[in-house]
Amino acid sequence: MSSVPYPFTAVVGQTDLRLALLLNAVSPAVGGVLVRGEKGTAKSTAVRALSALLPQVDVVPGCRFSCAPGAPDPACPDGPHEPGAGAARPARMVELPVGASEDRLVGALDIERALSEGVKAFEPGLLADAHRGILYVDEVNLLHDHLIDLLLDAAAMGASYVEREGVSVRHAARFLLVGTMNPEEGELRPQLLDRFGLTVEVAASREPAQRVEVVRRRLAYEDDPAAFAIRWADEEHEVRARVVAARALLPQVSLGDTALLQIAAACAGFEVDGMRADIVMARTATALAAWAGRTSVRKEDVRQAALLALPHRRRRNPFDAPGLDEEMLDRILDGFPDEEPEPEPDPEPQGPDDGGDGDGDGGGPDGDGGGVPPQHDGPPAQEADSPEAAPDAPDTTREDAPQPSAQGSGAAEQAPVAAAEPFRTKVLSVPGLGEGAAGRRSRARTAHGRTTGSQRPRGHLTKLHLAATVHAAAPHQKARGRAGRGLVIRKDDLRQATREGREGNLVLFVVDASGSMAARQRMSAVKGAVMSLLLDAYQRRDKVGLITFRGSGAELALPPTSSVDAAAARLERLPTGGRTPLAAGLLKAHEVLRVERLRDPSRRPLLVVVTDGRATSAGVPGGRPGGTPRELSGRSARLLASEGIASVVVDCESGPVRLGLAGVLAADLGAPAVTLDGLRADSLAGLVKNVRTAVTHTASLNSVSRRAA
């Protein structure tokens, strides 16, 4: 990778993305940007280029925590600082890797020195480096939960706290949070989603001319990065000057009562939760006016602010796609006409967008000068993060593309039916103790959770078990010549705390879509149950996969992924009809789990088979099936059981006559069987209540019998 960053003004197209980033450069109080989009759409390129446009910051010389010389942090670990002249340096852009440790994010205390010498030896982390700059998280939706919790705390309090066994350090941590993500790989937790001030959806252009311009610029940059940067130096300087001018104008911008009413009406009309959306919209509209060189907020500023600040806040559940009905927004804003605008002073020329430049890319809302830098050398296009990603052909694996069926064409296929209303399900978990990725489903040894014991550290000490450390050091104090009150601690005495928490699992759904499940009311209930389990998987941070079987075979409708939304979309479009190749579905599950075990051996699987247990077709490719369909399904189930795969059978059989075949399948799998009604959490609570009542009643009868005797 070149040390010369790709110029921000050379990113073609992506008007909303560039505008959102520049608004945060003008007013960091907006709260950051979340960039959602498919791979190869300039997300990372644009974010990394933003730091070059930010004004320099004055810092206390030698301070590792970037204290401002005019108002140093009184609690700075490197302080106290005397007010005085500072040193100017460029604003930093700090990247948080998805696989970073907690110590790398918040910093680390040297526990050994703290115990033996009584000193706070603190090594700052990425939060300290990002103070007064940008904290960038690529693939933010894949970030571990415990790191997300730390980010939430720092973003809410503007400070980071590191506490270890009674020793604590605090430092300021105010930063511009920018994240990029591909929604196909999973969604963000609602708490973190709400922390991003603005969100932008980006997509690659399907126009050949635009894609040609992308490739041309990228190849020119890679051939000679320095020469390419010089070519765009004037445009970079103009935009940097405009950011500085907009920052200076920002305190003079007036946010009138009409604009506030428009903001409040928009937030109320779209039923967003809480008041953060109103505050972010107000700050964004003010920044838009300053960026356009105006001192008053207009309706077009409020409209643009709503399009950037509300889409990700109006999701009612994880399966709702973010978005905003622009016609509804216009109706809401039209109810509050603008006041008569006051005469605006003629602003100094601040950039090539003022007054329009005819390039077709500048201009803000309604052409009002609130847009982004102009484009040159060709039509607008989408920049790619890499030359390999830029010229991709249209993706035929997208969710909205037609999917080939491996289940045969002879089945009497029925149109998909809608899923019934989702409900809260009982907790399904994998037995035993795992060591997989952090989540909320099954018991596991994790870095966070309740302490269950101690062990010698295998590397860098992260979680000290104080009692075990003292117990290990105590017998050796006399031999070590202890004279004072404190213990003499050696490195061999240190003990790492072992903790137990929860892990996320791979939940693989095997769904019967055959004719025996095709009754519309019945299939709607089945889809509702699977949708409920998918919602539960989203909340518990699982990976999910979806296998369906019908007709003459089984297919992997969705390979294992963190995107529960994608699984829900595939389930909604699931057709039904034909014979029931149960064995084919189970064997496909065995194949998928074998491959996933090689890819991610620490993530334990949970197989959820949704069927009535019927098997009317072998569905085994090639030659003789080697038994009846029912015998083959039994053999396939026992194969899965022999490998210790945890399973659950959701019995979908209904009607007055029941064959109990799902129970037979569950026995072969060594798994519990639960009915659709029994899957509900409230029915489980009722069962527990009934069991408790029966136990209490039995105990009372026994007590009476003993007294009578």
Side-chain angles (χ1 to χ4, degrees), residues 58-189:
D58 291 329
V59 298
V60 174
C63 178
R64 297 175 296 168
F65 301 88
S66 302
C67 284
D73 181 7
C76 176
D78 284 356
H81 301 299
E82 294 295 331
R89 64 159 175 79
R92 292 175 180 158
M93 195 204 71
V94 178
E95 292 196 43
L96 172 60
V98 170
S101 66
E102 178 182 340
D103 287 348
R104 185 71 188 97
L105 178 62
V106 301
L109 286 170
D110 190 329
I111 300 299
E112 185 176 0
R113 291 189 62 192
L115 288 175
S116 59
E117 303 176 27
V119 298
K120 296 181 181 179
F122 181 69
E123 185 67 28
L126 296 177
L127 290 180
D129 293 342
H131 179 49
R132 303 176 67 196
I134 301 173
L135 181 62
Y136 171 49
V137 189
D138 193 13
E139 306 293 351
V140 63
N141 50 325
L142 303 182
L143 201 63
H144 288 300
D145 274 3
H146 69 283
L147 297 182
I148 288 179
D149 293 336
L150 293 170
L151 275 181
L152 289 175
D153 290 342
M157 298 183 293
S160 174
Y161 292 84
V162 183
E163 298 191 11
R164 294 281 175 82
E165 308 298 340
V167 182
S168 64
V169 171
R170 173 213 168 273
H171 64 82
R174 290 182 294 275
F175 46 82
L176 173 61
L177 182 61
V178 180
T180 57
M181 60 174 284
N182 183 348
E184 294 179 355
E185 296 173 340
E187 282 292 346
L188 277 175
R189 283 170 54 186

Side-chain angles (χ1 to χ4, degrees), residues 483-504:
R485 299 178 59 186
L487 288 174
V488 180
I489 302 291
R490 301 277 174 83
K491 187 172 183 178
D492 290 343
D493 301 328
L494 299 178
R495 295 295 182 268
Q496 175 86 21
T498 57
R499 303 193 174 205
E500 183 179 311
R502 294 280 169 177
E503 67 176 359

Side-chain angles (χ1 to χ4, degrees), residues 177-512:
L177 182 61
V178 180
T180 57
M181 60 174 284
N182 183 348
E184 294 179 355
E185 296 173 340
E187 282 292 346
L188 277 175
R189 283 170 54 186
Q191 294 94 330
L192 184 58
L193 193 64
D194 190 52
R195 286 293 176 185
F196 287 97
L198 310 178
T199 186
V200 177
E201 296 279 339
V202 296
S205 171
R206 304 305 181 196
E207 292 295 327
Q210 294 178 336
R211 300 175 76 93
V212 165
E213 184 64 19
V214 169
V215 178
R216 181 181 293 118
R217 292 196 185 186
R218 189 69 195 192
L219 293 179
Y221 168 72
E222 292 183 350
D223 286 343
D224 192 343
F228 188 81
I230 292 173
R231 175 181 166 190
W232 293 91
D234 291 343
E235 286 81 357
E236 293 280 289
H237 176 74
E238 290 171 354
V239 175
R240 190 181 300 111
R242 185 172 176 181
V243 169
V244 172
R247 278 193 174 189
L249 184 62
L250 188 65
Q252 305 173 37
V253 176
S254 171
L255 184 66
D257 290 342
T258 299
L260 284 171
L261 284 172
Q262 291 170 341
I263 291 169
C267 293
F270 287 104
E271 299 180 347
V272 297
D273 296 329
M275 295 297 298
R276 184 175 283 116
D278 303 65
I279 297 170
V280 170
M281 273 191 65
R283 290 170 174 166
T284 305
T286 304
L288 278 162
W291 177 249
R294 290 185 272 101
T295 57
S296 62
V297 173
R298 299 179 181 174
K299 183 171 72 174
E300 55 264 27
D301 299 324
V302 175
R303 185 182 191 277
Q304 182 66 50
L307 294 175
L308 294 173
L310 295 187
H312 62 301
R313 291 188 165 88
R314 64 177 301 271
R315 287 169 59 106
R316 312 311 298 175
N317 68 63
F319 305 142
D320 289 341
L324 214 62
D325 185 341
E326 296 192 35
E327 292 184 1
M328 177 179 173
L329 176 62
D330 289 335
R331 289 196 300 270
I332 292 173
L333 297 182
D334 287 344
F336 301 90
D338 273 345
E339 300 168 347
E340 283 295 321
E342 298 178 1
E344 297 280 353
D346 292 333
E348 294 294 325
Q350 298 166 346
D353 275 355
D354 295 336
D357 51 37
D359 70 339
D361 194 32
D366 296 342
D368 224 10
V372 292
Q375 300 296 305
H376 303 280
D377 297 342
Q382 322 304 350
E383 177 59 33
D385 287 334
S386 66
E388 293 84 358
D392 284 348
D395 187 359
T396 58
T397 63
R398 292 175 50 174
E399 291 177 20
D400 55 357
Q403 301 294 322
S405 174
Q407 298 171 338
S409 58
E413 183 174 304
Q414 299 186 16
V417 298
E421 189 69 21
F423 53 84
R424 189 166 64 91
T425 67
K426 63 184 264 188
V427 180
L428 306 177
S429 61
V430 179
L433 193 63
E435 295 182 345
R440 295 188 180 87
R441 183 171 297 279
S442 305
R443 294 174 54 225
R445 298 183 186 91
T446 59
H448 300 269
R450 63 184 182 89
T451 301
T452 58
S454 65
Q455 63 182 15
R456 291 181 182 272
R458 298 175 181 174
H460 180 66
L461 179 69
T462 55
K463 298 291 182 181
L464 178 75
H465 195 295
L466 183 58
T469 300
V470 172
H471 187 270
H476 308 291
Q477 296 305 296
K478 185 175 181 180
R480 293 173 183 174
R482 173 187 168 188
R485 299 178 59 186
L487 288 174
V488 180
I489 302 291
R490 301 277 174 83
K491 187 172 183 178
D492 290 343
D493 301 328
L494 299 178
R495 295 295 182 268
Q496 175 86 21
T498 57
R499 303 193 174 205
E500 183 179 311
R502 294 280 169 177
E503 67 176 359
N505 298 113
L506 166 58
V507 182
L508 182 61
F509 293 92
V510 180
V511 180
D512 186 348

